[in-house]
Amino acid sequence: MSNNVVHLHKDPETPAADASVTTLTVVPDAPVAPLVPLWVRSGRAIRTAVTHENTKDAGRAVARHGLYVWGGGRIVARRTWDGRTGARYERFLRAAEAAGNMELAGEWEERLQRFREARHRRRMDLLTSPIDLAKGALVGTGLGIGTLVALGIVLAIANKDITDVVTPISAVIDFIRLLITVVQVVWGPALRIGPLLALLALWAVGKHQQAAPAWAMPANVRSGEGEPITPSIVVKALRDLGVPALRNAIKEMGDAGASMLGPIRIAGCGVEVDVTLPSGVSTNEVQQRRRKLAENLTRHEHEVFITIPTAARTVRLWVADSGALDEPIGPSPLVTDETMTADYGKGRAPWGQDLRGDAAAISLYQRHLLITGLSNQGKTVALRSLALWLALDRSVEFLMGDLKGVGDWAMFDGRARVLIQGPTDEHVIQVTEMVEGAVEEMNRRIQAPPGTVFPALIVLVDEAQMAFMCPAKDEDKRPYGGSKANSRYFMAVRKIHNQGRAVNVLMWQGTQDPTDQNLPKLVREGAHTRASLALGTESQARMALGDKAVDGGAAPNMLRPGLDQGTLVVASSGIDIPAGQAAITVRTHYIDDDAAKAIIERAKALRDGVTTLHAVDRDSDRDPLADIASVVGTAERVRTKDVLSRLGTLNTDAYGGWSFIDLKRVLDGTGAEPYKSDGVMVIGRDRLARALTNRDGDGSASADG
C-alpha cells in the first residue's frame, strides 16, 4: 500500500479573485504514524488512572475509614465483655503464671474470686427484684396519689373552688400525655439516626486506636518515622522477632505480653524499658537480633541499644527518638569555661554526653588508657580532649609520640617534656626509646622510700600500631616492633602496664583497625580504660573492649563509620556506668585545633615554662651541666626530683641511674648547687645560667692563654 500523502494549499501567486483556487500536491512515500486502536488507548488510560498514586490514596482512605468502624466494634465488644465477665482477671492470672510470678498469680486469682462472688450476689438480687420493684411501685403510686389529692384539697380551700381538688392529678396526666406525644414525634427519626450515631461512635473509637491494617494507613503513619514507643509497639516488636519460644509465650499470656514490660522511662533523647523474658528465652537471642528489633520498632539499627541489667532474664532496651543521634551535642566545657582547671587525683575529665543526655565525665587517676577504632572516626580528637583537660593540672608531665605526624599534637609544644612527631621508622625508634626512658623513671620511683608521692607522668603514643608493626632492629638485632619477648616497644609498654600505675606512670595509646598483629592481646588487656569508636566486625570489638563488655551488649561494630564520628563505647571503672552494664556509649565533644591551642595556652600560663624535646638524644658524650640547664628550661626553679626525672627521659643511658648524690656532685662548686625553697630541694634557673656563663668564660680565657 502506498504511503503517498496529498496536501491541499493555496498558491500565493494566485490573484485575489481566484483565491479560492487550491493546488493539489502529492508527496510520495511520506512516513505515517501507526494508528492505535481505540480500545488499546482506553485500556492504557484506565490502567494509568487505576495505578495513579492519588487513586491508591483514595482507595486506602475508603478502606481505612470503613475498617475503623469494624475495628472500633471489636474494641467496644472486647471492653464490654471484659466489664461483664472475669476475662480481664483471667488474662492477668495467666500472664503472671507465664512469668513465673506465683505470688502475683495468687493475688489475681483472689481478685477473680471476689469478682465472681459479687457477680453472683447481683444475679441473686435480680430474682427478687421484680417483686421488690412491684412493691415499690404500689407504695410509690399510693403515696403519689395521696400527695396529689392533699395538694388539691389545699388548692380548693385556698381558691374556695371544689374542682381544684383534681387539678394536680389533671396536670400530671397532661404532662404524661405530653411526654407520650414527644416520644411519638422523636421515635421515628431516632430509629433512623440512632444507628448512624452508633456507627460514628465506633468509627471514633477505631480511629483513636488506629484500628486498621498498616497498608490502609496514610504514608506518614505507614512509615512509622518518629512513631512514639508504646507498650503495644514493644510487645509486637518482640513477638515478631523470630524467636519461637518468645512468640508462643506472648500468645499464651492473657495480657498479650504487657506483663513483660517495666515502665517506659524517658532517658535523654530516647526512652528506656526493661523487658523480663519468659522462661525458655535467653537474653542473647534478643541481642543477636538487634537489627530486626530496631526495624520492628520503626528505628534504624544504630538507634536501638540492648544491654543486660542486673535482674535475671532481663534485657534493657534504649530506643532513640528518630534522628536524635544525628544531632550534634554542645561544645566542651573546656572551651566554654576558661577558668576550668584539672585535678589528676580527684577530678573527672568532661568527655561528652551519654545517650541519656547526661554529662559523661571520666576519672584518669592511675588508669592506663586504650582508644581504638577505624581510621578517620575521631580517635585522635577523643584522646586529645582527655590530654587537654589533664594539661590544666600543673603537676602532670607528658611524654608524647605522634606517629602520624600531621600536627594533631603540635599545640603541646611547650607543655610536653617530649613531643616526637612523624611516621617513619626513625620516629618509631625515638618513641620506643622515649617509652623505655619512662620505664627507667618508673623503676627509679619504685625504688623511692615508701609513701613517696610522685606527679603523674603520661606516656602517650598516638597511632601506636605503627610501633607494633615497625620492622626495624637495633644493633643487637632486637626488633623495635612485634610482640615477642625481645620486642623493645612491646616489652616497654608491658612493663609500664605491670608496675607503672602504682607510681603514677601511665600508658595512653591510640590505635586504629585493631588486629592481633598491630595490637597484641597482652597490651590491650593491660589498659584499665578501653574505648572504641566504630569498628568493622564483632571480633574487632572484642579486641577493643574485651569479651565481657561485648557479651554485655557493647557493640562498637554497630556504629556507623563516617556518621557516628566521635561516638565511643567505653568500658572503664573511671566512668559512671548504669548498674548491670559492662560499657557505656559516649558522644564526645569535638575540640578543633584552634580551641586546643587556646586551652594549651591556658595550661602553660598555670605553670613555669617547659622546654619540649623533639627527639631522644642517644649521644653518649654528654655535658651534664648543659643538660641540667636544658631540662630546667625557662622555669625559675625546679625540684631536684623533677630534674632527675627529666634527665632520665633526655638520655636513659647517661642519666637513667642518677640519684640526688650524682646531681649534687655535678653542681658542687659551680654556684648552682641545689637549695631549699618552701621546704623542698630545688635548682635555680638563674644560678645555672651564671654557672654556664662563668664556665664558658673560663674556658675561653684558657684557650686565649
Side-chain angles (χ1 to χ4, degrees):
M1 180 177 178
S2 176
N3 290 331
N4 294 342
V5 179
V6 178
H7 294 279
L8 297 177
H9 61 86
K10 294 182 180 180
D11 190 344
E13 298 181 358
T14 303
D18 299 329
S20 61
V21 179
T22 59
T23 304
L24 180 65
T25 304
V26 178
V27 181
D29 299 327
V32 178
L35 297 177
V36 179
L38 179 61
W39 65 271
V40 174
R41 293 199 299 271
S42 300
R44 291 175 179 173
I46 293 172
R47 184 179 63 182
T48 302
V50 170
T51 58
H52 195 274
E53 193 61 33
N54 291 339
T55 306
K56 293 181 180 179
D57 290 342
R60 279 194 291 264
V62 172
R64 179 170 65 252
H65 291 287
L67 291 169
Y68 279 162
V69 176
W70 170 256
R74 293 181 58 192
I75 293 171
V76 170
R78 186 181 184 89
R79 290 175 180 174
T80 304
W81 178 257
D82 287 345
R84 302 294 297 175
T85 68
R88 178 182 304 169
Y89 300 94
E90 292 175 356
R91 285 202 305 272
F92 285 117
L93 174 60
R94 290 196 297 270
E97 290 177 344
N101 192 340
M102 304 312 297
E103 181 179 354
L104 183 61
E107 182 179 344
W108 281 113
E109 186 175 12
E110 183 180 351
R111 292 184 182 183
L112 175 60
Q113 186 62 31
R114 290 200 300 267
F115 170 81
R116 287 173 174 172
E117 290 175 356
R119 183 178 62 184
H120 177 71
R121 287 195 300 271
R122 290 195 301 271
R123 289 177 176 176
M124 295 304 295
D125 291 341
L126 289 176
L127 296 178
T128 59
S129 60
I131 299 175
D132 295 338
L133 181 62
K135 289 180 180 180
L138 290 174
V139 174
T141 301
L143 291 175
I145 293 175
T147 302
L148 292 174
V149 171
L151 181 59
I153 293 173
V154 173
L155 289 174
I157 295 173
N159 296 331
K160 298 179 181 180
D161 186 356
I162 192 63
T163 59
D164 286 343
V165 173
V166 297
T167 298
I169 298 175
S170 300
V172 172
I173 294 173
D174 292 339
F175 179 72
I176 294 173
R177 185 182 296 112
L178 177 62
L179 290 179
I180 293 173
T181 302
V182 171
V183 170
Q184 288 176 342
V185 172
V186 174
W187 185 253
L191 289 177
R192 292 188 291 271
I193 298 175
L196 296 178
L197 294 177
L199 291 176
L200 181 61
L202 296 177
W203 175 85
V205 172
K207 184 176 186 302
H208 183 264
Q209 298 292 332
Q210 299 288 296
W215 60 265
M217 303 303 290
N220 60 333
V221 179
R222 288 200 310 275
S223 66
E225 189 71 24
E227 186 176 7
I229 300 300
T230 62
S232 61
I233 289 177
V234 176
V235 171
K236 289 178 182 177
L238 293 170
R239 183 194 64 194
D240 299 336
L241 202 54
V243 181
L246 180 59
R247 181 179 62 250
N248 295 334
I250 292 175
K251 288 182 179 179
E252 293 174 0
M253 293 181 183
D255 61 348
S259 61
M260 296 192 307
L261 307 183
I264 296 179
R265 304 175 295 273
I266 295 177
C269 57
V271 296
E272 186 179 72
V273 59
D274 287 349
V275 180
T276 302
L277 300 176
S279 178
V281 182
S282 62
T283 54
N284 66 335
E285 289 182 286
V286 177
Q287 283 184 300
Q288 293 170 357
R289 292 168 172 82
R290 177 183 174 189
R291 174 175 294 180
K292 191 170 186 179
L293 178 62
E295 293 172 350
N296 291 348
L297 293 169
T298 65
R299 294 295 191 273
H300 297 291
E301 185 176 10
H302 71 278
E303 295 176 328
V304 174
F305 289 83
I306 306 172
T307 54
I308 309 299
T310 53
R313 230 175 52 235
T314 303
V315 293
R316 178 169 294 162
L317 307 180
W318 185 86
V319 185
D321 299 334
S322 291
L325 295 183
D326 297 327
E327 298 294 330
I329 64 174
S332 170
L334 289 172
V335 177
T336 58
D337 185 2
E338 295 185 357
T339 63
M340 175 176 284
T341 58
D343 186 342
Y344 162 73
K346 300 178 181 178
R348 287 175 174 255
W351 212 2
Q353 294 180 359
D354 61 17
L355 296 179
R356 295 168 178 80
D358 299 328
I362 185 169
S363 172
L364 304 174
Y365 179 67
Q366 293 189 343
R367 290 178 175 88
H368 301 302
L369 176 67
L370 172 65
I371 298 180
T372 187
L374 297 178
S375 177
N376 196 33
Q377 298 304 308
K379 167 182 54 63
T380 297
V381 173
L383 181 60
R384 189 176 67 183
S385 66
L386 298 180
L388 289 171
W389 177 80
L390 202 53
L392 295 174
D393 184 337
R394 58 182 299 170
S395 68
V396 176
E397 301 284 355
F398 291 95
L399 307 179
M400 292 184 167
D402 175 16
L403 294 178
K404 184 188 298 182
V406 296
D408 290 334
W409 299 89
M411 68 286 300
F412 280 84
D413 193 351
R415 179 60 180 88
R417 281 168 44 186
V418 176
L419 176 59
I420 300 169
Q421 303 178 88
T424 66
D425 288 349
E426 178 60 28
H427 291 101
V428 172
I429 294 172
Q430 291 281 337
V431 167
T432 301
E433 294 180 347
M434 178 191 77
V435 178
E436 290 174 339
V439 173
E440 294 295 330
E441 169 64 14
M442 176 190 72
N443 292 333
R444 186 188 68 80
R445 293 183 176 190
I446 291 173
Q447 295 169 6
T452 305
V453 178
F454 298 98
L457 176 62
I458 307 299
V459 186
L460 189 152
V461 180
D462 194 13
E463 306 296 340
Q465 76 279 355
M466 299 286 292
F468 288 112
M469 300 300 290
C470 178
K473 296 182 179 180
D474 62 13
E475 60 275 8
D476 297 326
K477 304 300 181 180
R478 292 177 58 199
Y480 287 93
S483 57
K484 296 181 179 179
N486 62 344
S487 298
R488 292 181 60 175
Y489 180 80
F490 170 75
M491 291 305 299
V493 172
R494 287 291 300 137
K495 290 176 182 178
I496 294 177
H497 278 175
N498 289 338
Q499 296 179 296
R501 183 190 64 81
V503 290
N504 288 326
V505 177
L506 303 179
M507 191 75 210
W508 290 11
Q509 295 182 96
T511 70
Q512 62 174 263
D513 202 10
T515 65
D516 284 328
Q517 289 72 39
N518 64 24
L519 187 59
K521 181 178 180 181
L522 291 177
V523 169
R524 59 183 186 248
E525 291 185 351
H528 302 99
T529 295
R530 301 168 71 173
S532 176
L533 296 110
L535 289 172
T537 64
E538 182 180 325
S539 62
Q540 287 185 316
R542 293 184 180 274
M543 292 180 190
L545 300 177
D547 292 335
K548 180 181 178 181
V550 174
D551 292 338
N557 53 303
M558 294 298 181
L559 296 174
R560 301 166 298 168
L563 297 177
D564 291 324
Q565 287 182 329
T567 299
L568 286 165
V569 182
V570 184
S572 172
S573 61
I575 193 170
D576 293 333
I577 298 177
Q581 296 181 201
I584 187 172
T585 301
V586 176
R587 304 172 69 197
T588 58
H589 296 293
Y590 177 73
I591 302 177
D592 60 25
D593 290 348
D594 292 336
K597 293 175 183 177
I599 295 170
I600 287 298
E601 290 302 319
R602 285 159 38 200
K604 292 177 183 178
L606 293 175
R607 56 173 294 156
D608 296 327
V610 175
T611 301
T612 299
L613 303 178
H614 297 282
V616 178
D617 193 349
R618 300 187 295 273
D619 187 4
S620 59
D621 187 12
R622 309 297 308 180
D623 182 351
L625 187 61
D627 287 342
I628 293 172
S630 69
V631 298
V632 169
T634 59
E636 183 179 353
R637 64 183 67 89
V638 178
R639 291 186 296 181
T640 53
K641 68 176 184 178
D642 290 340
V643 172
L644 289 171
S645 174
R646 297 178 186 183
L647 287 172
T649 302
L650 178 65
N651 191 289
T652 304
D653 296 333
Y655 304 116
W658 269 34
S659 65
F660 176 75
I661 296 176
D662 297 309
L663 184 63
K664 187 174 183 300
R665 174 178 50 80
V666 171
L667 296 177
D668 280 346
T670 64
E673 294 85 352
Y675 63 95
K676 273 195 175 182
S677 176
D678 296 330
V680 296
M681 298 299 292
V682 298
I683 297 175
R685 175 195 60 196
D686 295 337
R687 295 185 181 188
L688 280 171
R690 285 195 298 269
L692 285 171
T693 302
N694 294 335
R695 188 191 66 175
D696 294 342
D698 294 342
S700 299
S702 299
D704 293 339

